[in-house]
Amino acid sequence: MYDHPWLGDPGYPVEAPGLDRLTHLVLVDGRLVDTWSEPVTGTRWQVHADRFDRELARPEPSPPPPPPWQRVLDWLASVCGGAGAVAALTVEPLTDDGCDLPTETPDAASRSRLEATAELLDAVAARCFDPEMATAFRRALLRLWAEEPEVVRHARTAAHLAGGICWAVGKANGSYRPQGDVRMGRVQEALALSSAISGYGSTVRRALVGFRDLDNPRWWRPEGIPNLEPLGRPELLSSPTRERLVRLRGRAVAAREAADDAA
């Protein structure tokens, strides 16, 4: 019944070893009437099998890594919110631009939460930071309320919300040790929190980042670059932080121009 005894005979394995590479199909009037397999070794098709083996053994070449100046510009884009924001970066100090709490909120509880958080942020800035950071904290609170009010409402207390804002904005500015001078524990003490300010900080960070892909591997921090939490919001960066970024931008652009001239 079978041209080859191992096909269909219960006494033989369903797949004989060595017969999985070369398969013949017999078609009559375009209809399959027979099929069998045999070793490819020694046949005129072995050259193809050998080529396939070489292709499998040879890994795909990895793309060359981007030059250092490109990595720095990509990182700056993650910190500032895009190449356009990097190009527009200035070093003027943050000033109180009249950003105040909204005059109307949906409910009294939300209004109370916003007011209590704003007072705590001002107090912490006066005790642990500076007036620029006070402005950055207030702006972050207003951004949260405008874009994800649930983050404001669902915080355990106003102190937890304030702690989360201090963590996210402070990390974005490199304010905490070992880069900066501020201890996170000092902020925690100022807010009378029993838990670390980072507890609600990740929630605040996610809300401020939104759906921007700031965690893309191509934006990993290059070596020798300050460890700033990428929020993509230059309006939350103090002037000392932006001065550092502007210097990095200038050096990266100069290196890019030098590479273009050499090409």
Side-chain angles (χ1 to χ4, degrees):
M1 180 182 300
Y2 299 98
D3 292 335
H4 302 282
W6 55 80
L7 296 179
D9 189 333
Y12 290 86
V14 174
E15 294 183 1
L19 299 184
D20 58 348
R21 302 210 63 182
L22 179 59
T23 300
H24 298 268
L25 304 179
V26 179
L27 303 178
V28 176
D29 292 337
R31 301 174 66 180
L32 181 65
V33 297
D34 197 4
T35 177
W36 71 91
S37 297
E38 62 183 359
V40 74
T41 304
T43 68
R44 56 177 172 155
W45 294 283
Q46 181 177 348
V47 62
H48 301 290
D50 292 341
R51 176 166 56 86
F52 298 154
D53 288 341
R54 289 193 299 271
E55 291 175 355
L56 290 174
R58 184 173 61 248
E60 289 291 329
S62 300
W69 59 261
Q70 184 63 62
R71 295 183 61 206
V72 172
L73 290 177
D74 287 342
W75 176 83
L76 285 170
S78 72
V79 171
C80 299
V86 175
L89 203 62
T90 62
V91 298
E92 286 80 8
L94 295 179
T95 57
D96 187 352
D97 50 7
C99 55
D100 203 352
L101 301 180
T103 57
E104 296 182 2
T105 53
D107 54 80
S110 296
R111 180 71 188 184
S112 177
R113 170 59 59 85
L114 286 169
E115 291 175 347
T117 304
E119 291 176 1
L120 288 171
L121 290 173
D122 288 343
V124 171
R127 180 174 174 179
C128 305
F129 296 94
D130 56 40
E132 279 197 70
M133 292 297 287
T135 299
F137 291 156
R138 178 67 65 93
R139 288 179 177 179
L141 175 62
L142 295 178
R143 284 295 89 206
L144 289 174
W145 177 251
E147 297 178 9
E148 287 203 34
E150 296 80 10
V151 173
V152 175
R153 294 193 183 103
H154 295 167
R156 183 176 176 184
T157 65
H160 286 84
L161 175 59
I165 292 173
C166 289
W167 181 88
V169 177
K171 291 278 286 184
N173 284 278
S175 301
Y176 297 115
R177 293 182 179 178
Q179 288 196 108
D181 299 326
V182 180
R183 291 187 302 105
M184 287 192 191
R186 187 182 177 197
V187 177
Q188 179 183 335
E189 293 168 1
L191 292 170
L193 287 171
S194 59
S195 58
I197 61 174
S198 58
Y200 206 60
S202 58
T203 300
V204 170
R205 178 196 180 278
R206 180 200 56 76
L208 291 173
V209 169
F211 299 111
R212 286 168 292 181
D213 188 19
L214 302 187
D215 293 321
N216 190 295
R218 71 187 182 90
W219 283 325
W220 284 349
R221 180 169 57 94
E223 184 178 358
I225 298 301
N227 186 13
L228 306 182
E229 189 70 30
L231 299 180
R233 295 185 180 272
E235 71 274 15
L236 303 183
L237 302 178
S238 66
S239 57
T241 302
R242 281 180 282 114
E243 286 175 3
R244 297 177 72 182
L245 301 183
V246 166
R247 287 196 299 270
L248 290 172
R249 179 189 66 187
R251 295 180 64 186
V253 169
R256 179 183 64 189
E257 293 174 349
D260 291 342
D261 292 340

